[in-house]
Amino acid sequence: MRQPPAPSRRTGLRWFVSRHRRALAATSAAFAVTCGLLALRPSPAPVPAATDRGAGQPPVASPAVSTPRPAPGTVLTTIRLADPGAVAAVHVGERINVLAVTAGDGGAYDAGDSPPAAVIGQHLLVASLPAVHSGDDPGGLVEVAATPAVAAALAGAANARLSVTID
């Protein structure tokens, strides 16, 4: 009499692969096509990180960071705030009001006799926060978009102590 065939050694993973070889081949082909398409896709543009200037220094927008474009009929002008710490509260894209106090005799005021601040510009768009490269001049720079008339008033108030309020 003949002996029955020996039991198959195809167990576990071998059995699974032999039973599902077509499905596994289709899955592998789809994965290979997906990887190929991802490799051919253009890479996204790098996002610049915020500039780290250390503790106590105001944040500065990197030149690579896109700034809001001023509206037609406006110009960009730079103002120097009297308090460099005030620049830390201002962010690119915000609307600000610029206030000026002109120094009288001696340039200092007591709390009781300080003159009122004059509003030089209202609802000005902050375009950028340029870096200050000289250590001689205190104050922080803010670049704003303003009408030519307001820009002229801001330039005329260059000797005044400028401050801002945020809209």
Side-chain angles (χ1 to χ4, degrees):
M1 217 157 119
R2 284 180 79 179
Q3 289 193 348
S8 175
R9 294 191 179 226
R10 292 186 179 190
T11 58
L13 182 62
R14 284 185 180 180
W15 176 83
F16 181 81
V17 170
S18 68
R19 292 282 287 172
H20 303 287
R21 67 180 180 268
R22 287 191 177 128
L24 289 172
T27 303
S28 297
F31 182 70
V33 168
T34 303
C35 288
L37 290 175
L38 288 175
L40 294 175
R41 165 180 81 164
S43 62
V47 178
T51 305
D52 183 16
R53 294 188 41 123
Q57 299 250 340
V60 174
S62 171
V65 176
S66 64
T67 58
R69 291 196 126 351
T74 61
V75 295
L76 293 178
T77 185
T78 304
I79 58 173
R80 182 176 301 279
L81 300 181
D83 181 15
V87 176
V90 177
H91 301 288
V92 174
E94 287 183 334
R95 297 274 178 182
I96 61 171
N97 300 320
V98 180
L99 309 170
V101 175
T102 55
D105 300 331
Y109 296 106
D110 292 331
D113 65 340
S114 61
V119 178
I120 302 293
Q122 293 181 321
H123 311 294
L124 303 177
L125 176 68
V126 176
S128 69
L129 303 170
V132 178
H133 295 293
S134 69
D136 302 337
D137 202 4
L141 296 178
V142 178
E143 188 175 48
V144 296
T147 62
V150 172
L154 289 169
N159 293 332
R161 293 180 48 88
L162 298 178
S163 62
V164 296
T165 60
I166 300 172
D167 280 351

